[in-house]
């Protein structure tokens, strides 16, 4: 499964939507520690988890960013 770094996209999403990592982790059913790794850039994000995050928050800018990354 393809994995990519999404640190900057996730940082921008959290700021733009005024969300905490805990909120996004809960809504997307991703463990907080895993999401934290994604936002720190220590873990790359599998495409299915990026989709889960976007489905949870419904952000068109994030969707466009992940579409470009996974292309």
């Amino acid at each position: 499964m393809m994995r990519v770094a999404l640190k900057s996209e996730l940082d921008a999403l959290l700021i733009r939507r005024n969300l905490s990592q805990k909120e996004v982790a809960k809504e997307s059913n991703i463990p907080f520690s895993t999401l934290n790794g994604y936002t720190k850039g220590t873990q790359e994000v599998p495409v299915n988890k990026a989709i889960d995050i976007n489905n949870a928050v419904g952000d068109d800018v994030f969707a466009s960013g992940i579409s470009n990354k996974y292309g």
Side-chain angles (χ1 to χ4, degrees):
M1 181 174 299
M2 186 173 184
R3 295 172 177 261
V4 298
L6 293 178
K7 180 186 180 333
S8 61
E9 290 84 354
L10 286 167
D11 287 344
L13 172 68
L14 294 173
I15 292 167
R16 187 171 49 256
R17 292 292 185 146
N18 194 32
L19 295 168
S20 70
Q21 289 182 29
K22 286 184 181 182
E23 290 171 314
V24 173
K26 180 179 178 183
E27 292 299 317
S28 59
N29 294 314
I30 296 171
F32 172 77
S33 60
T34 301
L35 186 73
N36 185 258
Y38 297 161
T39 60
K40 285 184 174 182
T42 59
Q43 294 183 48
E44 292 187 329
V45 184
V47 66
N48 64 319
K49 296 302 180 187
I51 292 168
D52 290 345
I53 292 167
N54 191 60
N55 287 342
V57 298
D59 187 270
D60 292 339
V61 175
F62 183 74
S64 177
I66 63 173
S67 176
N68 291 335
K69 288 268 188 155
Y70 292 101

